Amino acid sequence: MTEQTLDHAGAPATAAPAPDARATGAPAFGEVTEFDAVVVGAGFAGLYMLHRLRDHLGLSVRVFEAAPGVGGTWHWNRYPGARCDSEGYVYCYSFSKELLADWRWSGKYPMQPEIRTYLEHVADRFGLRPDIQLGTRVTAAHYQDSDGRWTILTDRGDRVSARYLITGVGLLASAPYTPDIPGLADFAGECHHTGQWPDHAIEFAGKRVGVIGTGSTAVQAIPVIAGEAGHLSVFQRSPQYTIPARHHTVDEESLAEIRRNYDEIWEQARWSVSGFPYQHNGRSALSVSDEERRETFEALWAQGGFKFVFGSYKDLLTNLEANAHAAEFIREKIREAVDDPTTAEKLVPTDHPFGARRPIVDTHYFETYNRDNVTLVDLRDTPIDRVTANGVRTTGGEHELDVLVLATGFDAVTGPFSRIDIRGREGLRLTEAWADGPRAYLGLAIAGFPNLFTITGPGATFGNLPVSIEHHVEWISQCIEDNRRQDVTVTEVTYEAQESWMEHVRQQSDRNVGAATDSWFNGANIPGKPRSPLFFFGSFGLYRRRCDDVAEQGYQGFVRRSDAAAGVSGAAAAD
Ligand code: NA7
């Protein structure tokens, strides 16, 4: 990415384009266009943010989106088998009853093309497209102390000024992670990262395919690729716990039932632990007999999906002993599903508690290893030595491949930010502010970066994301509305409020069974990335209440002022 430099006052260091800029393909920065707000990203977050600010508050808004279409995560993650693992009826917006009424998901867990079509439908239904500039990546955003506005530059040469900068960059999609495996560039066949999958079908029939990774992406892709490929080799570094999806077509009766109860369903999801319309059963897994616990697990296993995690015993994710019962139950299910006992043992996770990493929902994942055309390569026994022109060489030998699929994950949460040159008050770079790990207040705002709001930023909740996104968008839009009513032009969170929230995030994370487990939840999947919790693992409902309280108490933790010039010092916090 080219870095465009702005001078301290926020004007580009080179006000006029360099004479050869067009010849070299470098962007040429034209006149500044002014907006009330610039939104980065046109996924679930960016689309709704635009609708709120433009259609409820009457603001001028420009959305920049790097992809050639709307959809965010659901634009890029189009690998084989990509589907949502929240149930469709709550993996959507709830803000419009009409939208809820006129959209019908085809099944329990919608596939990627359907979700993308849904988001396109939303863009059309609310007339959002004229304010979205597609195929345009925001490369720099610098706050100007002089007037409390942001100057935003893009890779297409736009230079835009906005009072508010709002990121809807998602947690993952814009920062796919390709590990530095020796020889990767030498591979002579086709190689694709799942998060940057081509927009055309990849021919697997009769081919030797390799998949590196066994995270939730690979778990979706592997059964589908195995069904098409001549032979599939799965390169597994860490075995995973996964729960069956039990995908089924939504019938008219259940759809009608959901529609009848939609108000209650959403209300429950909004105040739940994790954004799903169910709660745990209120009991400890240690308070019941072995028989009763097994019955509960079996019933939830039969239903499928995240209910096994979030609709089960209250202490599965906070008590290691309780957790061990669920982990052992799943291990038994893996051994039952996989015919070959040696392969089954390689697939059984024993090095981390259940739910310590992002829970996975699968469709026939473990059964896939019973196919004759599938080989599991256990990288703990035989690590990858290098990729060659012909395939992947492990310490156990060479696996010849025609297609290599990298399901190796993402530089989560901070990655999408670090790809933009964001500078706040007095030129403070976001990458410097986050050098030891990300810091933000409620995942919504960052000290040192006035008038910047982050939808699902670091330290916010994790779970069924449309529910958190709607909440964030509505909170931000209310804050901007209040600012306008009260003549506030600069809003910045104090360092004290931010630190206190981050301490709370750390404490909650330490209570979780995954506290000691490496995963993308804490940045451990990226070499050199500071290890720190990226999410608030307390309940959605409590988090929502906290955000509401902050707003009701006059935006507690924020300094709000009507003069742009002065900075905000932590000590001067008007808390
Ligand atoms: P994940 O969950 O980060 O999984 C990445 C996988 O890639 C995981 O199995 C990794 O093994 C593996 N990996 C990463 N680097 C290597 C190397 N160098 N060698 C071998 N294997 C490697 O990403 P996903 O895309 O599956 O899921 C991300 C989220 O997207 C998901 O949770 C949803 O929210 C949507 P490891 O486990 O680190 O040993």
Side-chain angles (χ1 to χ4, degrees), residues 172 177 179 212-217 237-238 357-358 379 407-410 520:
L172 306 157
Y177 165 60
I212 299 182
T214 49
S216 58
T217 296
R237 195 164 67 176
S238 306
R357 311 178 106 203
R358 197 268 204 197
L379 298 179
T408 46
F410 301 87
W520 66 261

Side-chain angles (χ1 to χ4, degrees), residues 73-74 77 79 83 85 171-173 177-181 193-195 211-220 235-240 351-352 357-360 379-380 384 406-412 462-463 465 518-521 524-527:
T73 283
W74 297 106
N77 280 278
Y79 56 85
R83 70 161 85 228
D85 47 19
L171 306 177
L172 306 157
Y177 165 60
T178 297
D180 191 13
I181 302 174
H193 192 289
T194 50
V211 173
I212 299 182
T214 49
S216 58
T217 296
V219 163
Q220 289 187 337
F235 297 90
Q236 171 189 272
R237 195 164 67 176
S238 306
Q240 299 273 12
D351 61 349
H352 64 279
R357 311 178 106 203
R358 197 268 204 197
I360 298 179
L379 298 179
R380 293 170 307 179
I384 294 177
L406 301 172
T408 46
F410 301 87
D411 180 0
F462 181 73
L465 279 166
D518 284 352
S519 83
W520 66 261
F521 275 173
N525 65 324
I526 304 296

Side-chain angles (χ1 to χ4, degrees), residues 281-320:
N281 62 20
R283 286 178 298 160
S284 162
L286 303 176
S287 69
V288 296
S289 67
D290 289 350
E291 293 71 34
E292 185 178 344
R293 194 167 45 237
R294 173 160 280 281
E295 248 175 54
T296 305
F297 285 157
E298 288 287 4
L300 293 168
W301 193 260
Q303 285 182 49
F306 286 134
K307 243 185 195 175
F308 189 89
V309 192
F310 302 112
S312 181
Y313 295 103
K314 67 177 182 184
D315 50 0
L316 284 193
L317 299 181
T318 51
N319 181 312
L320 281 169

Side-chain angles (χ1 to χ4, degrees), residues 222-224 226 232 363-374:
I222 284 165
V224 177
L232 173 65
T363 298
H364 308 314
Y365 174 65
F366 292 114
E367 293 83 347
T368 299
Y369 293 95
N370 297 333
R371 297 176 64 104
D372 291 338
N373 69 334
V374 176

